[in-house]
Amino acid sequence: QVQLVESGGGLVQAGGSLRLSCAADGRTFSSYNMGWFQQAPGKEREFVAAISWSGGRTYYSDSVKGRFTISRDNDKNTVYLQMNTLKPEDTAVYYCAATGGTQITTAVGYSYWGQGTQVTVSS
């Protein structure tokens, strides 16, 4: 089992940047594929980005490709989401998730979730 804690959210103007962090406890972090999801009010949780356990493969939704970068540091048990050129439509609660499976671009594939961090982009 792994516990996840997100940080780094906040209020930013359109065009700005934020970096989200997700710290994991447990000694098996490096064995998990990790993902970031967003959930806006009244909407379902949507896939944003994912990274394989080794960091060798990354995946992005079309809406963030070229603007967001997912990375991980297995020595620090942390996964990051660098968000650049933010848009008002990026406003959402962002969740970090972990899975030992391979279905990593859908929420149902993940077993462990953080509590979320709010990102608000003003126009």
Side-chain angles (χ1 to χ4, degrees):
Q1 189 168 356
V2 60
Q3 292 187 334
L4 305 171
V5 179
E6 301 97 334
S7 62
L11 173 64
V12 64
Q13 288 188 333
S17 298
L18 282 174
R19 189 176 81 154
L20 305 184
S21 299
C22 173
D25 70 357
R27 291 169 286 181
T28 59
F29 173 77
S30 61
S31 67
Y32 288 99
N33 297 316
M34 301 295 296
W36 286 97
F37 290 76
Q38 63 181 193
Q39 188 166 20
K43 293 188 176 182
E44 293 187 353
R45 198 166 295 189
E46 297 180 343
F47 170 74
V48 174
I51 189 166
S52 62
W53 63 272
S54 68
R57 289 173 292 176
T58 58
Y59 308 83
Y60 298 94
S61 69
D62 288 341
S63 63
V64 307
K65 199 173 295 183
R67 299 189 298 123
F68 291 9
T69 302
I70 189 171
S71 61
R72 67 189 297 161
D73 185 336
N74 285 344
D75 291 334
K76 295 183 178 179
N77 283 5
T78 302
V79 62
Y80 305 97
L81 186 68
Q82 178 67 43
M83 304 187 296
N84 297 330
T85 319
L86 282 160
K87 304 175 181 180
E89 51 264 44
D90 295 320
T91 295
V93 177
Y94 283 74
Y95 295 91
C96 169
T99 180
T102 57
Q103 192 178 356
I104 63 174
T105 61
T106 58
V108 297
Y110 287 83
S111 303
Y112 306 105
W113 293 86
Q115 83 290 347
T117 185
Q118 176 70 47
V119 171
T120 303
V121 184
S122 63
S123 57

